[in-house]
Amino acid sequence: MDAGIEQFAPWLALWDLIPEGEPLLMPHTGSRLLPVRRGDTAAMLKLAASEDERRGGQIMAWWDGEGAAPVLARRDEALLMLRAAGRTLTDVVLGGDDRAATATACEVLAALHRPRPDPPQTRPLAHLFSALLESGEARLDGARSTARHLLEGQAELRLLHGDMHHGNVLDFGPRGWLAIDPWGVAGERAYDYANLFRNPRVEDICPERFGARLAQISALANLEPARLQSWAYAHAGLSAAWDIQDGALMEAERSFALISLLEGRA
């Protein structure tokens, strides 16, 4: 067996899977993916590299194919899910249909946020914001203050995806567009829409595009525009804090450009 596939061997045998491609490494998490087939079903086998990633698999199973990729099997660090047809919402935006991509993202989030019994235990949203709340960067003072205010007065609490961006919504053919790779945090549902404003490429976000997305998302998701904009501002600050923490200074400057745009709209 190929050395790259060796670590998948126990799961290939357990679930009677046939590899259909090369293993893939997820750069930010260290988790590994392998395209496989089980009978007539094209699937993706994922080996989680952290407890957060394992929790994401548990949340995917809890969503039970409603708004998220269907989970075919799960045990320990291994997750077997249906494989997408190929496109992501990033492709839709870069193809020139921003409104269609935004509408689809809102539909997916509405499905994920639908109340269900017995949600898995997960971390509070405030934990996700620790990089911003603990940052000493002066240019983040406004975003930090806004984040504290929002986190202290959260409403409409849900189990959130936590990393909802255009690359995490995939085309599953007849099943439609579905989400993958949740981080899973508990908090105000408006936060899950905030990351849509700086993606798929933050450098493409101009005042006109931000305003159009804000109006569209507010209407489709029934969210108050000013509060949604505040969450987008807080999230832009969080992204900049993460970039600084990782030493990705060029990426941080892109986030600061969005912060400046939002401060200009305040």
Side-chain angles (χ1 to χ4, degrees):
M1 180 175 290
D2 184 276
I5 296 180
E6 226 170 65
Q7 61 195 302
F8 296 94
W11 313 108
L12 296 174
L14 176 65
W15 292 324
D16 195 20
L17 307 174
I18 299 172
E20 281 202 328
E22 296 298 317
L24 306 169
L25 176 66
M26 298 176 70
H28 298 296
T29 65
S31 294
R32 296 186 178 274
L33 299 171
L34 180 67
V36 297
R37 183 165 292 273
R38 185 168 74 170
D40 295 331
T41 302
M44 187 68 75
L45 177 58
K46 177 179 180 179
L47 301 184
S50 68
E51 284 303 314
D52 285 343
E53 288 282 287
R54 290 193 188 203
R55 186 183 305 111
Q58 182 184 12
I59 292 167
M60 290 278 289
W62 179 68
W63 280 326
D64 196 23
E66 187 179 6
V71 171
L72 306 176
R74 182 173 68 91
R75 182 183 291 186
D76 300 328
E77 75 270 25
L79 178 75
L80 183 69
M81 59 185 170
L82 197 68
R83 197 192 322 164
R87 291 193 307 159
T88 72
L89 285 185
T90 296
D91 300 312
V92 178
V93 173
L94 299 184
D97 204 341
D98 196 272
R99 285 190 63 81
T102 300
T104 298
C106 288
E107 289 174 9
V108 169
L109 280 172
L112 297 181
H113 292 166
R114 197 163 292 134
R116 297 171 177 81
D118 305 318
Q121 290 295 315
T122 189
R123 301 172 302 171
L125 181 56
H127 181 88
L128 196 64
F129 272 87
S130 59
L132 174 60
L133 299 177
E134 296 167 9
S135 172
E137 170 60 55
R139 288 188 292 173
L140 294 176
D141 285 350
R144 188 184 306 109
S145 175
T146 296
R148 284 200 181 102
H149 174 75
L150 291 168
L151 291 167
E152 288 169 2
Q154 294 182 70
E156 294 189 278
L157 301 182
R158 298 287 190 276
L159 195 160
L160 307 179
H161 183 286
D163 192 28
M164 176 52 66
H165 59 73
H166 295 73
N168 271 344
V169 182
L170 281 60
D171 181 2
F172 281 80
R175 291 178 177 266
W177 292 87
L178 300 169
I180 60 168
D181 293 345
W183 286 355
V185 289
E188 183 170 332
R189 73 178 180 93
Y191 173 74
D192 252 353
Y193 297 86
N195 202 16
L196 296 175
F197 290 100
R198 68 180 307 279
N199 279 283
R201 298 189 307 194
V202 67
E203 59 267 31
D204 291 340
I205 308 303
C206 60
E208 293 75 21
R209 177 169 284 190
F210 181 89
R213 284 188 185 175
L214 181 67
Q216 186 182 6
I217 294 172
S218 297
L220 291 175
N222 193 27
L223 293 169
E224 203 278 317
R227 189 166 183 87
L228 179 56
Q229 178 170 313
S230 292
W231 276 113
Y233 179 45
H235 179 74
L238 176 58
S239 297
W242 280 334
D243 292 335
I244 293 170
Q245 200 173 64
D246 293 341
L249 300 186
M250 187 175 295
E251 288 299 313
E253 288 306 317
R254 292 191 177 100
S255 294
F256 279 119
L258 179 57
I259 288 170
S260 296
L261 183 158
L262 292 171
E263 288 176 342
R265 289 177 56 93

